[in-house]
Amino acid sequence: MIRITREEFDPAGLLEEARSAELGALVSFLGIVRDDGIERMDLEAHEEVAEQDLFRIRKEAIARFGVHRVDIVHRIGSLSVGDHIVMIIVGAPHRKAAFQGCEYVIDQIKESVPIWKKEYTARGSRWVPGEHE
C-alpha cells in the first residue's frame, strides 16, 4: 500500500494489516513532528510525482533486499507537534532484510521524493531545505 494523505492514520492498525503468515519480521519507521521550537509545519507535495516515486522506491526495496511487503503512508497538509508524518512498514521472512529495506525506503524518500516542509516558529516561517534539493 502506498498512500499520500491529509488524514491522520493509525500506526497500530497499519501494522496489524501488514501481518501475514509468510512474514517473520515487520520493521516499521514512524516519523513524528517533534518539538524543537516549531509550532507547526506544512507539508506540500507534487502528489502525482511523489506517489510514482514511492511506488518506484517500493519496487527497488523489494528487488534489492528480497522483502515481501513495503507499505508507505505519508501525510501532507498542516501538522502540529506530535502528529504522525510518515509510516513505513517493511515485511520479510527474516529481520535483517526487513531492517535494511526499511532504512533504504526512508533514505530514498528523503533524497528524492518531491515533498517539501515549511516550519512555523514564534519568529516566523521558513522552508526547510530538503536532502533532495
Side-chain angles (χ1 to χ4, degrees):
M1 176 233 333
I2 302 293
R3 185 171 60 195
I4 297 174
T5 182
R6 293 184 179 279
E7 303 300 319
E8 180 58 89
F9 56 83
D10 173 28
L14 292 173
L15 275 169
E16 189 58 35
E17 287 176 32
R19 292 175 58 105
S20 71
E22 76 272 3
L23 301 177
L26 285 176
V27 172
S28 65
F29 172 81
L30 179 62
I32 302 167
V33 180
R34 69 180 175 273
D35 183 358
D36 61 355
I38 70 166
E39 297 171 350
R40 68 180 179 89
M41 70 172 55
D42 288 339
L43 291 165
E44 294 183 8
H46 186 299
E47 291 183 53
E48 184 177 316
V49 174
E51 188 173 275
Q52 290 172 0
D53 284 348
L54 294 177
F55 275 105
R56 174 187 50 80
I57 291 166
R58 177 185 180 273
K59 184 177 178 181
E60 290 171 359
I62 290 169
R64 188 170 186 172
F65 302 102
V67 299
H68 293 192
R69 182 178 187 115
V70 176
D71 295 336
I72 307 167
V73 178
H74 205 301
R75 300 267 311 272
I76 57 174
S78 185
L79 304 178
S80 300
V81 170
D83 285 348
H84 302 129
I85 303 170
V86 62
M87 182 153 192
I88 300 162
I89 301 170
V90 177
H94 304 285
R95 65 177 162 75
K96 187 172 185 176
F99 274 108
Q100 290 173 328
C102 191
E103 183 175 30
Y104 177 81
V105 169
I106 190 60
D107 288 348
Q108 292 301 305
I109 289 171
K110 289 286 200 175
E111 289 176 17
S112 64
V113 179
I115 298 175
W116 303 279
K117 176 171 59 172
K118 187 174 189 178
E119 295 181 342
Y120 295 84
T121 67
R123 294 184 171 158
S125 64
R126 73 179 186 102
W127 286 100
V128 177
E131 295 176 34
H132 58 276
E133 295 177 357

